[in-house]
Amino acid sequence: MPVIRFVREGRDIECYPGENLREVARREGIELYGLKGQLGNCGGCGQCITCFVSVVDDSASDALTARTPVEDNKLRRRPGDWRLACQALVEKSLLVLTRPQVRLANAEARLAAARQAPLPEGPTAWPTPPQSEDAEEGAEEGDVEASDAHPATADDEA
Ligand code: FES
């Protein structure tokens, strides 16, 4: 599964492929917002422009879903590696700097250290629930129960 390395916080957090970056950060107690965003943000609608993150991993251009039209509009005067966390879905492991508008103490050394430590490639296989011994004993080769089938994905329906 992808790992998000939050450089400012010094934390690696694993998430499912396709999870929303803002939601992962909030779930894990990572502060995305400066004072303005803490006082009032749009709740992830892409309107307040306060959930900036910087993708500080040059090799991770495809780690997040492509910029949305909202981001293209709202970030047109910002650096090219900035994203709105609420608009980005995580597809592969990457390094992010939260609140890139706020100075990062000892930035060069911290960024270098974060880039140097290896990250998993991600995404890897989805976790599967453990199978009971009864199911394994009763199953014969080629048998596929409905509960074992993978659920349909958006790609399957297209
Ligand atoms: S939370 Fe408002 S733009 Fe992301």
Side-chain angles (χ1 to χ4, degrees):
M1 295 201 299
V3 170
I4 309 167
R5 177 163 292 160
F6 289 96
V7 176
R8 184 180 298 279
E9 296 76 13
R11 289 181 60 191
D12 283 356
I13 293 174
E14 195 174 51
C15 68
Y16 290 106
E19 276 199 270
N20 179 281
L21 179 54
R22 175 182 181 270
E23 295 305 317
V24 174
R26 289 178 56 83
R27 181 181 70 220
E28 298 294 333
I30 301 285
E31 183 58 72
L32 288 175
Y33 298 107
L35 182 60
K36 180 182 167 191
Q38 289 174 22
L39 293 174
N41 63 73
C42 69
C45 300
Q47 297 304 306
C48 67
I49 326 173
T50 59
C51 62
F52 298 122
V53 297
S54 172
V55 178
V56 293
D57 186 349
D58 295 338
S59 64
S61 60
D62 61 346
L64 298 175
T65 48
R67 272 191 179 196
T68 64
V70 167
E71 288 180 286
D72 283 340
N73 182 32
K74 302 285 188 184
L75 297 175
R76 64 183 181 277
R77 293 192 199 106
R78 305 288 181 175
D81 60 347
W82 283 26
R83 299 291 306 266
L84 294 177
C86 68
Q87 301 294 300
L89 305 182
V90 181
E91 296 187 327
K92 295 180 180 175
S93 297
L94 78 160
L95 279 65
V96 298
L97 179 63
T98 57
R99 292 170 283 133
Q101 71 277 25
V102 176
R103 191 179 83 82
L104 177 68
N106 199 13
E108 279 189 32
R110 289 170 70 182
L111 285 167
R115 288 177 176 131
Q116 202 168 23
L119 272 174
E121 287 293 317
T124 56
W126 288 83
T128 54
Q131 296 192 2
S132 71
E133 290 181 17
D134 293 340
E136 287 180 12
E137 287 175 7
E140 296 197 12
E141 194 171 324
D143 284 356
V144 177
E145 293 182 21
S147 62
D148 292 334
H150 291 286
T153 63
D155 291 338
D156 294 331
E157 296 170 4

